[in-house]
Amino acid sequence: MEDSKIPKDSRDWVVGLAAFLNENAEVEALRVDASHRKFVVATLGEVDLQRLEARLTETLRLIEKSSIGSGPVGVGFESQEDGAFELKKPTCLTAPILWRWRELEILESEEEESGEEWRLLAVLAGACAVLGLSGWALSSVASVPAWIPILFFVGAMFAGGWDALVDVREGLPKGELDIHFLMLAVALGASLIGAYAEGALLLFLFSFSGALEHFALYRTRREINSLFDAAPKVALLRLKDGGEKEVPVGSVVVGDVVVVRPGGQFPVDAEVVSGKSAADESNLTGEANPVPKLKGDTVFSGTINLWGAVEARTLRPVGESALQKVIRLIREAQHLKAPSQRFTDQFGTRYTVGILGLTALMFFVWWLGFGIHPFLNTENSFSAFYRAMTLLVVASPCALVLSIPSAILAAIAWGARHGILFRGGAAIEKLAEVDLVALDKTGTLTTGEMEVDSVESFPAGREDEAIQLAYSLEAHGSHPIGRAIKKYAKQLGLKVEAVEEFKAMSGQGVQGRLDDTLCVLGRRELLESGPLADWIKDVPEPEQHFVENWMLKGDLIARILLKDQIRTESKPILARLKQMGIRTVMLTGDRRGAAESVGEVIGIDVVRSGLSPEDKVSAIRGYANEGYKVAMVGDGVNDAPCLAAAYVSVAMGARGSDAALEQSEVVLMEDRIDNFMAATDLSNRARRIIRQNLSIALGTVVLMATAAIFGWIPLSIGVFAHEGSTVVVCLNSLRLLFAKGPAKAMIS
């Protein structure tokens, strides 16, 4: 349908959801009831619903903030009588027969939800405490009728159990029994045997620990959402007549020129076309040092222009900017569960039913088996029902259920704040298991920003022609060598010539035709296996710290020599990995001499050079077959096959790389190798805290359950132990938020 037929009041929704449809290949159609926030998708085959829900939630967030552009829809649109509408991708007539329609659960703003809930629970816990203390004080006054303190205790239980009651009312019709049901059952049971004070105490501590739990989640999500809040809302456009106009950032399209003054945010990912400045990219990378921005450099949405006015040409729509891709990644990570978290998720309705069954069984065992009075406490023994209520409290898995997700969320939040992004909890746990790290050389162990040192032509005097040909072939590439050639050519004021039949030769170079003549730019091996094999033998290889590329066209042969700088921080990082018992291997396509010179300087264990992408994948699989759990650290674009083959895939310096964000489980936004060490330290800390939490939770359940079975503890002690362990687990997980940053991780 034509875009003009879309109602104006629905256009933002349609444009935004059309973008969602186009970005998710597994989704064929989308039915939308915007007024009731109901969304149903048609899919083909198996899909990850959690991931789709997270992506749709983020799309809606952008729509509501007017952060999605107003470009063409590009999909079919059908309006319904009730105001709903349907979007469909172009497809054949028979395809809809195979569609499977699924309703998506839209996740509300978790930060706001947690913030409101912990405050409400705190108020209810406070009211419960006041009423409970009043009842306890009145119960000690002889002149006060007995029913008055009971009334206060009942009021305290209503306040402390209100949130649990709401959850139980929602879950019971679905057949769901959870921890909230157990707590209410214990409070009711305590009231039936006259233990009103214990019931009030239980629900006070339950609501208080619930408030602390939601406060911990609120703090964690606030750390994450501090990045989201950096998303710019408006942009200043340079008009064709030379004027300026402020517009919503969502209306900026590729090719528009934006003006950014000192102190302002770069509204989109763009290339500087005039002016010079420096950018604060800490919200993306965690690195506070200013990054110089000159003509031809890329600036990223949400980063801050520090001192110079610049104009920049938009490279991609705002919804595809580096910042929005990072936001989507973090949103998805919060809902992708770790293996151990999936294990604790099993403690749901079945566990609750099991505990209720065990409690009922033990009641009859104490009563009929051991002759303990069913409901009457004596000076020497608690009643069977009292013991059952105590067992029910201490066996509830509150702390166990919280032990893992609280730590995972805190780790994700810390990483996001420091430029380390995890694709879910599994990546956090897996990184701590790695015992071999394979690293790409260029851009990982070296800076990756190579510079052209010199150009030699054969015959001499045609150096500018050679570099212009190389510039034309590399004009659209993103490899470090190509970037260096483009930068050098721009400095010389050279222009790009049109290349036809362009082709990239995997691991060897590139080729194309200019003026019907074949041009090739690549490694020395291309000459050694062709008609120039005898001639190239007489040309000495450059010194080890140089990388050479050869340019061939007709009667022109030229050599371009480039240099790359070794990362000075690599050596202590590799030494520390070795101390941790982790083996290090360099996998590179560079020639042996250059690779070994780098390996010798930084102290890497094994250097494997001259590898094609297929050779790198084979190397990683070989180490895996030997029993190693391999982490591959690369640039996320050229190393995509290796990253896919590794046990854990880690991409470095991937601010603008779609391949890195989609392929890698861990993304280091700042291209610094010490961030990998920080990620490894974070993974180890998170795993230690998870183990501590599980030990605290399980230990408390086992110890207190044993004591309850033998009748050694009163209900009040069981309540303190149960709720206390929940509080300790939450606070223990929060420690991850206050760990040292990457720069300090090396010193600790």
Side-chain angles (χ1 to χ4, degrees), residues 339 426-427 429-436 620 624 628-632 642-649 665:
E429 291 194 353
K430 287 166 63 179
L431 191 57
E433 302 171 8
V434 165
D435 50 15
L436 185 147
I620 289 175
Y628 287 104
K629 291 187 175 180
V630 182
M632 174 66 197
C642 312
L643 293 168
Y647 181 65
V648 181
S649 51
E665 296 171 278

mmCIF file with all atom_site columns, all heavy atoms in Angstrom, residues 339 426-427 429-436 620 624 628-632 642-649 665:
data_model
loop_
_atom_site.group_PDB
_atom_site.id
_atom_site.type_symbol
_atom_site.label_atom_id
_atom_site.label_alt_id
_atom_site.label_comp_id
_atom_site.label_asym_id
_atom_site.label_entity_id
_atom_site.label_seq_id
_atom_site.pdbx_PDB_ins_code
_atom_site.Cartn_x
_atom_site.Cartn_y
_atom_site.Cartn_z
_atom_site.occupancy
_atom_site.B_iso_or_equiv
_atom_site.pdbx_formal_charge
_atom_site.auth_seq_id
_atom_site.auth_comp_id
_atom_site.auth_asym_id
_atom_site.auth_atom_id
_atom_site.pdbx_PDB_model_num
ATOM 1   N N   . PRO A 1 339 ? 23.028 -20.744 31.989 1.00 0.00 ? 339 PRO A N   1
ATOM 2   C CA  . PRO A 1 339 ? 22.676 -22.145 32.253 1.00 0.00 ? 339 PRO A CA  1
ATOM 3   C C   . PRO A 1 339 ? 22.282 -22.400 33.704 1.00 0.00 ? 339 PRO A C   1
ATOM 4   O O   . PRO A 1 339 ? 21.299 -23.092 33.972 1.00 0.00 ? 339 PRO A O   1
ATOM 5   C CB  . PRO A 1 339 ? 23.965 -22.887 31.873 1.00 0.00 ? 339 PRO A CB  1
ATOM 6   C CG  . PRO A 1 339 ? 24.627 -22.003 30.870 1.00 0.00 ? 339 PRO A CG  1
ATOM 7   C CD  . PRO A 1 339 ? 24.321 -20.602 31.308 1.00 0.00 ? 339 PRO A CD  1
ATOM 8   N N   . ALA A 1 426 ? 24.774 -16.467 29.838 1.00 0.00 ? 426 ALA A N   1
ATOM 9   C CA  . ALA A 1 426 ? 25.621 -17.597 29.452 1.00 0.00 ? 426 ALA A CA  1
ATOM 10  C C   . ALA A 1 426 ? 27.039 -17.144 29.148 1.00 0.00 ? 426 ALA A C   1
ATOM 11  O O   . ALA A 1 426 ? 28.013 -17.816 29.511 1.00 0.00 ? 426 ALA A O   1
ATOM 12  C CB  . ALA A 1 426 ? 25.015 -18.306 28.239 1.00 0.00 ? 426 ALA A CB  1
ATOM 13  N N   . ALA A 1 427 ? 27.183 -15.985 28.486 1.00 0.00 ? 427 ALA A N   1
ATOM 14  C CA  . ALA A 1 427 ? 28.523 -15.484 28.146 1.00 0.00 ? 427 ALA A CA  1
ATOM 15  C C   . ALA A 1 427 ? 29.320 -15.171 29.403 1.00 0.00 ? 427 ALA A C   1
ATOM 16  O O   . ALA A 1 427 ? 30.538 -15.405 29.460 1.00 0.00 ? 427 ALA A O   1
ATOM 17  C CB  . ALA A 1 427 ? 28.407 -14.237 27.273 1.00 0.00 ? 427 ALA A CB  1
ATOM 18  N N   . GLU A 1 429 ? 29.086 -16.626 32.355 1.00 0.00 ? 429 GLU A N   1
ATOM 19  C CA  . GLU A 1 429 ? 29.531 -17.871 32.983 1.00 0.00 ? 429 GLU A CA  1
ATOM 20  C C   . GLU A 1 429 ? 30.598 -18.577 32.146 1.00 0.00 ? 429 GLU A C   1
ATOM 21  O O   . GLU A 1 429 ? 31.574 -19.110 32.674 1.00 0.00 ? 429 GLU A O   1
ATOM 22  C CB  . GLU A 1 429 ? 28.336 -18.791 33.203 1.00 0.00 ? 429 GLU A CB  1
ATOM 23  C CG  . GLU A 1 429 ? 27.374 -18.282 34.265 1.00 0.00 ? 429 GLU A CG  1
ATOM 24  C CD  . GLU A 1 429 ? 26.404 -19.363 34.706 1.00 0.00 ? 429 GLU A CD  1
ATOM 25  O OE1 . GLU A 1 429 ? 26.397 -20.450 34.091 1.00 0.00 ? 429 GLU A OE1 1
ATOM 26  O OE2 . GLU A 1 429 ? 25.664 -19.121 35.669 1.00 0.00 ? 429 GLU A OE2 1
ATOM 27  N N   . LYS A 1 430 ? 30.438 -18.584 30.812 1.00 0.00 ? 430 LYS A N   1
ATOM 28  C CA  . LYS A 1 430 ? 31.362 -19.321 29.950 1.00 0.00 ? 430 LYS A CA  1
ATOM 29  C C   . LYS A 1 430 ? 32.753 -18.708 29.932 1.00 0.00 ? 430 LYS A C   1
ATOM 30  O O   . LYS A 1 430 ? 33.751 -19.436 29.860 1.00 0.00 ? 430 LYS A O   1
ATOM 31  C CB  . LYS A 1 430 ? 30.798 -19.383 28.530 1.00 0.00 ? 430 LYS A CB  1
ATOM 32  C CG  . LYS A 1 430 ? 29.628 -20.333 28.370 1.00 0.00 ? 430 LYS A CG  1
ATOM 33  C CD  . LYS A 1 430 ? 28.889 -20.115 27.052 1.00 0.00 ? 430 LYS A CD  1
ATOM 34  C CE  . LYS A 1 430 ? 29.741 -20.374 25.853 1.00 0.00 ? 430 LYS A CE  1
ATOM 35  N NZ  . LYS A 1 430 ? 29.004 -20.181 24.577 1.00 0.00 ? 430 LYS A NZ  1
ATOM 36  N N   . LEU A 1 431 ? 32.837 -17.378 29.992 1.00 0.00 ? 431 LEU A N   1
ATOM 37  C CA  . LEU A 1 431 ? 34.145 -16.734 29.915 1.00 0.00 ? 431 LEU A CA  1
ATOM 38  C C   . LEU A 1 431 ? 35.040 -17.153 31.076 1.00 0.00 ? 431 LEU A C   1
ATOM 39  O O   . LEU A 1 431 ? 36.263 -17.229 30.925 1.00 0.00 ? 431 LEU A O   1
ATOM 40  C CB  . LEU A 1 431 ? 33.973 -15.207 29.893 1.00 0.00 ? 431 LEU A CB  1
ATOM 41  C CG  . LEU A 1 431 ? 35.216 -14.380 29.563 1.00 0.00 ? 431 LEU A CG  1
ATOM 42  C CD1 . LEU A 1 431 ? 35.795 -14.778 28.206 1.00 0.00 ? 431 LEU A CD1 1
ATOM 43  C CD2 . LEU A 1 431 ? 34.898 -12.892 29.577 1.00 0.00 ? 431 LEU A CD2 1
ATOM 44  N N   . ALA A 1 432 ? 34.451 -17.444 32.217 1.00 0.00 ? 432 ALA A N   1
ATOM 45  C CA  . ALA A 1 432 ? 35.244 -17.874 33.376 1.00 0.00 ? 432 ALA A CA  1
ATOM 46  C C   . ALA A 1 432 ? 35.798 -19.288 33.208 1.00 0.00 ? 432 ALA A C   1
ATOM 47  O O   . ALA A 1 432 ? 36.697 -19.694 33.954 1.00 0.00 ? 432 ALA A O   1
ATOM 48  C CB  . ALA A 1 432 ? 34.385 -17.807 34.646 1.00 0.00 ? 432 ALA A CB  1
ATOM 49  N N   . GLU A 1 433 ? 35.290 -20.044 32.226 1.00 0.00 ? 433 GLU A N   1
ATOM 50  C CA  . GLU A 1 433 ? 35.734 -21.424 32.015 1.00 0.00 ? 433 GLU A CA  1
ATOM 51  C C   . GLU A 1 433 ? 36.844 -21.534 30.978 1.00 0.00 ? 433 GLU A C   1
ATOM 52  O O   . GLU A 1 433 ? 37.398 -22.609 30.774 1.00 0.00 ? 433 GLU A O   1
ATOM 53  C CB  . GLU A 1 433 ? 34.540 -22.282 31.573 1.00 0.00 ? 433 GLU A CB  1
ATOM 54  C CG  . GLU A 1 433 ? 33.379 -22.285 32.567 1.00 0.00 ? 433 GLU A CG  1
ATOM 55  C CD  . GLU A 1 433 ? 32.144 -22.959 31.988 1.00 0.00 ? 433 GLU A CD  1
ATOM 56  O OE1 . GLU A 1 433 ? 32.256 -23.551 30.892 1.00 0.00 ? 433 GLU A OE1 1
ATOM 57  O OE2 . GLU A 1 433 ? 31.084 -22.897 32.635 1.00 0.00 ? 433 GLU A OE2 1
ATOM 58  N N   . VAL A 1 434 ? 37.162 -20.435 30.304 1.00 0.00 ? 434 VAL A N   1
ATOM 59  C CA  . VAL A 1 434 ? 38.128 -20.466 29.195 1.00 0.00 ? 434 VAL A CA  1
ATOM 60  C C   . VAL A 1 434 ? 39.527 -20.820 29.694 1.00 0.00 ? 434 VAL A C   1
ATOM 61  O O   . VAL A 1 434 ? 39.987 -20.319 30.727 1.00 0.00 ? 434 VAL A O   1
ATOM 62  C CB  . VAL A 1 434 ? 38.137 -19.093 28.488 1.00 0.00 ? 434 VAL A CB  1
ATOM 63  C CG1 . VAL A 1 434 ? 39.348 -18.946 27.589 1.00 0.00 ? 434 VAL A CG1 1
ATOM 64  C CG2 . VAL A 1 434 ? 36.851 -18.907 27.692 1.00 0.00 ? 434 VAL A CG2 1
ATOM 65  N N   . ASP A 1 435 ? 40.219 -21.712 28.950 1.00 0.00 ? 435 ASP A N   1
ATOM 66  C CA  . ASP A 1 435 ? 41.612 -22.042 29.297 1.00 0.00 ? 435 ASP A CA  1
ATOM 67  C C   . ASP A 1 435 ? 42.565 -21.828 28.125 1.00 0.00 ? 435 ASP A C   1
ATOM 68  O O   . ASP A 1 435 ? 43.748 -22.152 28.219 1.00 0.00 ? 435 ASP A O   1
ATOM 69  C CB  . ASP A 1 435 ? 41.732 -23.482 29.823 1.00 0.00 ? 435 ASP A CB  1
ATOM 70  C CG  . ASP A 1 435 ? 41.045 -24.495 28.920 1.00 0.00 ? 435 ASP A CG  1
ATOM 71  O OD1 . ASP A 1 435 ? 40.730 -24.152 27.767 1.00 0.00 ? 435 ASP A OD1 1
ATOM 72  O OD2 . ASP A 1 435 ? 40.812 -25.628 29.380 1.00 0.00 ? 435 ASP A OD2 1
ATOM 73  N N   . LEU A 1 436 ? 42.065 -21.301 26.995 1.00 0.00 ? 436 LEU A N   1
ATOM 74  C CA  . LEU A 1 436 ? 42.933 -20.911 25.879 1.00 0.00 ? 436 LEU A CA  1
ATOM 75  C C   . LEU A 1 436 ? 42.311 -19.698 25.201 1.00 0.00 ? 436 LEU A C   1
ATOM 76  O O   . LEU A 1 436 ? 41.108 -19.687 24.919 1.00 0.00 ? 436 LEU A O   1
ATOM 77  C CB  . LEU A 1 436 ? 43.093 -22.065 24.879 1.00 0.00 ? 436 LEU A CB  1
ATOM 78  C CG  . LEU A 1 436 ? 44.084 -21.825 23.718 1.00 0.00 ? 436 LEU A CG  1
ATOM 79  C CD1 . LEU A 1 436 ? 44.777 -23.129 23.321 1.00 0.00 ? 436 LEU A CD1 1
ATOM 80  C CD2 . LEU A 1 436 ? 43.396 -21.238 22.482 1.00 0.00 ? 436 LEU A CD2 1
ATOM 81  N N   . ILE A 1 620 ? 41.111 -23.302 15.557 1.00 0.00 ? 620 ILE A N   1
ATOM 82  C CA  . ILE A 1 620 ? 40.255 -23.226 16.750 1.00 0.00 ? 620 ILE A CA  1
ATOM 83  C C   . ILE A 1 620 ? 39.570 -24.563 17.001 1.00 0.00 ? 620 ILE A C   1
ATOM 84  O O   . ILE A 1 620 ? 39.505 -25.040 18.147 1.00 0.00 ? 620 ILE A O   1
ATOM 85  C CB  . ILE A 1 620 ? 39.215 -22.102 16.580 1.00 0.00 ? 620 ILE A CB  1
ATOM 86  C CG1 . ILE A 1 620 ? 39.916 -20.741 16.665 1.00 0.00 ? 620 ILE A CG1 1
ATOM 87  C CG2 . ILE A 1 620 ? 38.124 -22.192 17.645 1.00 0.00 ? 620 ILE A CG2 1
ATOM 88  C CD1 . ILE A 1 620 ? 39.022 -19.566 16.391 1.00 0.00 ? 620 ILE A CD1 1
ATOM 89  N N   . ALA A 1 624 ? 39.850 -27.108 20.237 1.00 0.00 ? 624 ALA A N   1
ATOM 90  C CA  . ALA A 1 624 ? 38.645 -27.602 20.914 1.00 0.00 ? 624 ALA A CA  1
ATOM 91  C C   . ALA A 1 624 ? 38.658 -29.122 20.995 1.00 0.00 ? 624 ALA A C   1
ATOM 92  O O   . ALA A 1 624 ? 38.270 -29.707 22.024 1.00 0.00 ? 624 ALA A O   1
ATOM 93  C CB  . ALA A 1 624 ? 37.401 -27.116 20.177 1.00 0.00 ? 624 ALA A CB  1
ATOM 94  N N   . TYR A 1 628 ? 40.416 -28.010 24.885 1.00 0.00 ? 628 TYR A N   1
ATOM 95  C CA  . TYR A 1 628 ? 40.472 -26.616 25.340 1.00 0.00 ? 628 TYR A CA  1
ATOM 96  C C   . TYR A 1 628 ? 39.112 -25.935 25.152 1.00 0.00 ? 628 TYR A C   1
ATOM 97  O O   . TYR A 1 628 ? 38.384 -26.228 24.203 1.00 0.00 ? 628 TYR A O   1
ATOM 98  C CB  . TYR A 1 628 ? 41.521 -25.838 24.546 1.00 0.00 ? 628 TYR A CB  1
ATOM 99  C CG  . TYR A 1 628 ? 42.950 -26.163 24.895 1.00 0.00 ? 628 TYR A CG  1
ATOM 100 C CD1 . TYR A 1 628 ? 43.722 -26.968 24.061 1.00 0.00 ? 628 TYR A CD1 1
ATOM 101 C CD2 . TYR A 1 628 ? 43.537 -25.648 26.052 1.00 0.00 ? 628 TYR A CD2 1
ATOM 102 C CE1 . TYR A 1 628 ? 45.044 -27.262 24.367 1.00 0.00 ? 628 TYR A CE1 1
ATOM 103 C CE2 . TYR A 1 628 ? 44.857 -25.941 26.363 1.00 0.00 ? 628 TYR A CE2 1
ATOM 104 C CZ  . TYR A 1 628 ? 45.605 -26.750 25.521 1.00 0.00 ? 628 TYR A CZ  1
ATOM 105 O OH  . TYR A 1 628 ? 46.900 -27.041 25.829 1.00 0.00 ? 628 TYR A OH  1
ATOM 106 N N   . LYS A 1 629 ? 38.789 -25.040 26.052 1.00 0.00 ? 629 LYS A N   1
ATOM 107 C CA  . LYS A 1 629 ? 37.658 -24.142 25.876 1.00 0.00 ? 629 LYS A CA  1
ATOM 108 C C   . LYS A 1 629 ? 38.231 -22.807 25.400 1.00 0.00 ? 629 LYS A C   1
ATOM 109 O O   . LYS A 1 629 ? 38.874 -22.088 26.165 1.00 0.00 ? 629 LYS A O   1
ATOM 110 C CB  . LYS A 1 629 ? 36.874 -23.988 27.177 1.00 0.00 ? 629 LYS A CB  1
ATOM 111 C CG  . LYS A 1 629 ? 36.142 -25.279 27.563 1.00 0.00 ? 629 LYS A CG  1
ATOM 112 C CD  . LYS A 1 629 ? 35.236 -25.097 28.762 1.00 0.00 ? 629 LYS A CD  1
ATOM 113 C CE  . LYS A 1 629 ? 34.455 -26.383 29.016 1.00 0.00 ? 629 LYS A CE  1
ATOM 114 N NZ  . LYS A 1 629 ? 33.549 -26.277 30.183 1.00 0.00 ? 629 LYS A NZ  1
ATOM 115 N N   . VAL A 1 630 ? 37.994 -22.506 24.127 1.00 0.00 ? 630 VAL A N   1
ATOM 116 C CA  . VAL A 1 630 ? 38.700 -21.423 23.439 1.00 0.00 ? 630 VAL A CA  1
ATOM 117 C C   . VAL A 1 630 ? 37.857 -20.150 23.411 1.00 0.00 ? 630 VAL A C   1
ATOM 118 O O   . VAL A 1 630 ? 36.685 -20.174 23.030 1.00 0.00 ? 630 VAL A O   1
ATOM 119 C CB  . VAL A 1 630 ? 39.058 -21.835 22.000 1.00 0.00 ? 630 VAL A CB  1
ATOM 120 C CG1 . VAL A 1 630 ? 39.839 -20.729 21.300 1.00 0.00 ? 630 VAL A CG1 1
ATOM 121 C CG2 . VAL A 1 630 ? 39.836 -23.140 21.998 1.00 0.00 ? 630 VAL A CG2 1
ATOM 122 N N   . ALA A 1 631 ? 38.497 -19.044 23.798 1.00 0.00 ? 631 ALA A N   1
ATOM 123 C CA  . ALA A 1 631 ? 37.912 -17.720 23.578 1.00 0.00 ? 631 ALA A CA  1
ATOM 124 C C   . ALA A 1 631 ? 38.650 -17.096 22.405 1.00 0.00 ? 631 ALA A C   1
ATOM 125 O O   . ALA A 1 631 ? 39.879 -17.003 22.418 1.00 0.00 ? 631 ALA A O   1
ATOM 126 C CB  . ALA A 1 631 ? 38.051 -16.843 24.817 1.00 0.00 ? 631 ALA A CB  1
ATOM 127 N N   . MET A 1 632 ? 37.915 -16.704 21.368 1.00 0.00 ? 632 MET A N   1
ATOM 128 C CA  . MET A 1 632 ? 38.519 -16.044 20.214 1.00 0.00 ? 632 MET A CA  1
ATOM 129 C C   . MET A 1 632 ? 38.293 -14.549 20.342 1.00 0.00 ? 632 MET A C   1
ATOM 130 O O   . MET A 1 632 ? 37.157 -14.087 20.483 1.00 0.00 ? 632 MET A O   1
ATOM 131 C CB  . MET A 1 632 ? 37.890 -16.555 18.914 1.00 0.00 ? 632 MET A CB  1
ATOM 132 C CG  . MET A 1 632 ? 38.358 -15.814 17.668 1.00 0.00 ? 632 MET A CG  1
ATOM 133 S SD  . MET A 1 632 ? 40.121 -16.070 17.320 1.00 0.00 ? 632 MET A SD  1
ATOM 134 C CE  . MET A 1 632 ? 40.464 -14.731 16.169 1.00 0.00 ? 632 MET A CE  1
ATOM 135 N N   . CYS A 1 642 ? 35.832 -17.365 12.709 1.00 0.00 ? 642 CYS A N   1
ATOM 136 C CA  . CYS A 1 642 ? 36.565 -17.834 13.896 1.00 0.00 ? 642 CYS A CA  1
ATOM 137 C C   . CYS A 1 642 ? 35.741 -17.615 15.159 1.00 0.00 ? 642 CYS A C   1
ATOM 138 O O   . CYS A 1 642 ? 35.705 -18.465 16.049 1.00 0.00 ? 642 CYS A O   1
ATOM 139 C CB  . CYS A 1 642 ? 37.893 -17.092 14.040 1.00 0.00 ? 642 CYS A CB  1
ATOM 140 S SG  . CYS A 1 642 ? 38.840 -17.023 12.541 1.00 0.00 ? 642 CYS A SG  1
ATOM 141 N N   . LEU A 1 643 ? 35.090 -16.465 15.229 1.00 0.00 ? 643 LEU A N   1
ATOM 142 C CA  . LEU A 1 643 ? 34.265 -16.164 16.393 1.00 0.00 ? 643 LEU A CA  1
ATOM 143 C C   . LEU A 1 643 ? 33.141 -17.183 16.524 1.00 0.00 ? 643 LEU A C   1
ATOM 144 O O   . LEU A 1 643 ? 32.797 -17.613 17.631 1.00 0.00 ? 643 LEU A O   1
ATOM 145 C CB  . LEU A 1 643 ? 33.687 -14.752 16.269 1.00 0.00 ? 643 LEU A CB  1
ATOM 146 C CG  . LEU A 1 643 ? 34.706 -13.608 16.351 1.00 0.00 ? 643 LEU A CG  1
ATOM 147 C CD1 . LEU A 1 643 ? 34.062 -12.297 15.923 1.00 0.00 ? 643 LEU A CD1 1
ATOM 148 C CD2 . LEU A 1 643 ? 35.280 -13.476 17.744 1.00 0.00 ? 643 LEU A CD2 1
ATOM 149 N N   . ALA A 1 644 ? 32.566 -17.583 15.395 1.00 0.00 ? 644 ALA A N   1
ATOM 150 C CA  . ALA A 1 644 ? 31.480 -18.556 15.434 1.00 0.00 ? 644 ALA A CA  1
ATOM 151 C C   . ALA A 1 644 ? 31.968 -19.925 15.892 1.00 0.00 ? 644 ALA A C   1
ATOM 152 O O   . ALA A 1 644 ? 31.217 -20.677 16.525 1.00 0.00 ? 644 ALA A O   1
ATOM 153 C CB  . ALA A 1 644 ? 30.830 -18.662 14.057 1.00 0.00 ? 644 ALA A CB  1
ATOM 154 N N   . ALA A 1 645 ? 33.223 -20.252 15.594 1.00 0.00 ? 645 ALA A N   1
ATOM 155 C CA  . ALA A 1 645 ? 33.755 -21.569 15.941 1.00 0.00 ? 645 ALA A CA  1
ATOM 156 C C   . ALA A 1 645 ? 34.219 -21.673 17.391 1.00 0.00 ? 645 ALA A C   1
ATOM 157 O O   . ALA A 1 645 ? 34.366 -22.781 17.909 1.00 0.00 ? 645 ALA A O   1
ATOM 158 C CB  . ALA A 1 645 ? 34.925 -21.909 15.011 1.00 0.00 ? 645 ALA A CB  1
ATOM 159 N N   . ALA A 1 646 ? 34.448 -20.547 18.057 1.00 0.00 ? 646 ALA A N   1
ATOM 160 C CA  . ALA A 1 646 ? 35.015 -20.549 19.406 1.00 0.00 ? 646 ALA A CA  1
ATOM 161 C C   . ALA A 1 646 ? 33.967 -20.854 20.464 1.00 0.00 ? 646 ALA A C   1
ATOM 162 O O   . ALA A 1 646 ? 32.766 -20.690 20.257 1.00 0.00 ? 646 ALA A O   1
ATOM 163 C CB  . ALA A 1 646 ? 35.670 -19.204 19.695 1.00 0.00 ? 646 ALA A CB  1
ATOM 164 N N   . TYR A 1 647 ? 34.425 -21.305 21.645 1.00 0.00 ? 647 TYR A N   1
ATOM 165 C CA  . TYR A 1 647 ? 33.539 -21.545 22.788 1.00 0.00 ? 647 TYR A CA  1
ATOM 166 C C   . TYR A 1 647 ? 32.950 -20.234 23.286 1.00 0.00 ? 647 TYR A C   1
ATOM 167 O O   . TYR A 1 647 ? 31.767 -20.152 23.626 1.00 0.00 ? 647 TYR A O   1
ATOM 168 C CB  . TYR A 1 647 ? 34.345 -22.224 23.901 1.00 0.00 ? 647 TYR A CB  1
ATOM 169 C CG  . TYR A 1 647 ? 33.548 -22.554 25.138 1.00 0.00 ? 647 TYR A CG  1
ATOM 170 C CD1 . TYR A 1 647 ? 32.513 -23.488 25.093 1.00 0.00 ? 647 TYR A CD1 1
ATOM 171 C CD2 . TYR A 1 647 ? 33.839 -21.948 26.355 1.00 0.00 ? 647 TYR A CD2 1
ATOM 172 C CE1 . TYR A 1 647 ? 31.787 -23.801 26.235 1.00 0.00 ? 647 TYR A CE1 1
ATOM 173 C CE2 . TYR A 1 647 ? 33.116 -22.252 27.497 1.00 0.00 ? 647 TYR A CE2 1
ATOM 174 C CZ  . TYR A 1 647 ? 32.095 -23.181 27.432 1.00 0.00 ? 647 TYR A CZ  1
ATOM 175 O OH  . TYR A 1 647 ? 31.378 -23.484 28.561 1.00 0.00 ? 647 TYR A OH  1
ATOM 176 N N   . VAL A 1 648 ? 33.785 -19.180 23.311 1.00 0.00 ? 648 VAL A N   1
ATOM 177 C CA  . VAL A 1 648 ? 33.321 -17.828 23.626 1.00 0.00 ? 648 VAL A CA  1
ATOM 178 C C   . VAL A 1 648 ? 33.887 -16.891 22.573 1.00 0.00 ? 648 VAL A C   1
ATOM 179 O O   . VAL A 1 648 ? 35.088 -16.902 22.309 1.00 0.00 ? 648 VAL A O   1
ATOM 180 C CB  . VAL A 1 648 ? 33.788 -17.363 25.031 1.00 0.00 ? 648 VAL A CB  1
ATOM 181 C CG1 . VAL A 1 648 ? 33.259 -15.959 25.315 1.00 0.00 ? 648 VAL A CG1 1
ATOM 182 C CG2 . VAL A 1 648 ? 33.330 -18.325 26.107 1.00 0.00 ? 648 VAL A CG2 1
ATOM 183 N N   . SER A 1 649 ? 33.036 -16.086 21.952 1.00 0.00 ? 649 SER A N   1
ATOM 184 C CA  . SER A 1 649 ? 33.484 -15.153 20.920 1.00 0.00 ? 649 SER A CA  1
ATOM 185 C C   . SER A 1 649 ? 33.525 -13.743 21.494 1.00 0.00 ? 649 SER A C   1
ATOM 186 O O   . SER A 1 649 ? 32.557 -13.274 22.085 1.00 0.00 ? 649 SER A O   1
ATOM 187 C CB  . SER A 1 649 ? 32.547 -15.205 19.710 1.00 0.00 ? 649 SER A CB  1
ATOM 188 O OG  . SER A 1 649 ? 31.195 -15.071 20.114 1.00 0.00 ? 649 SER A OG  1
ATOM 189 N N   . GLU A 1 665 ? 29.607 -13.019 21.522 1.00 0.00 ? 665 GLU A N   1
ATOM 190 C CA  . GLU A 1 665 ? 28.926 -13.123 22.807 1.00 0.00 ? 665 GLU A CA  1
ATOM 191 C C   . GLU A 1 665 ? 29.379 -12.033 23.770 1.00 0.00 ? 665 GLU A C   1
ATOM 192 O O   . GLU A 1 665 ? 28.646 -11.666 24.681 1.00 0.00 ? 665 GLU A O   1
ATOM 193 C CB  . GLU A 1 665 ? 29.188 -14.499 23.421 1.00 0.00 ? 665 GLU A CB  1
ATOM 194 C CG  . GLU A 1 665 ? 28.615 -15.648 22.616 1.00 0.00 ? 665 GLU A CG  1
ATOM 195 C CD  . GLU A 1 665 ? 29.075 -16.980 23.129 1.00 0.00 ? 665 GLU A CD  1
ATOM 196 O OE1 . GLU A 1 665 ? 30.199 -17.391 22.779 1.00 0.00 ? 665 GLU A OE1 1
ATOM 197 O OE2 . GLU A 1 665 ? 28.328 -17.627 23.883 1.00 0.00 ? 665 GLU A OE2 1
#
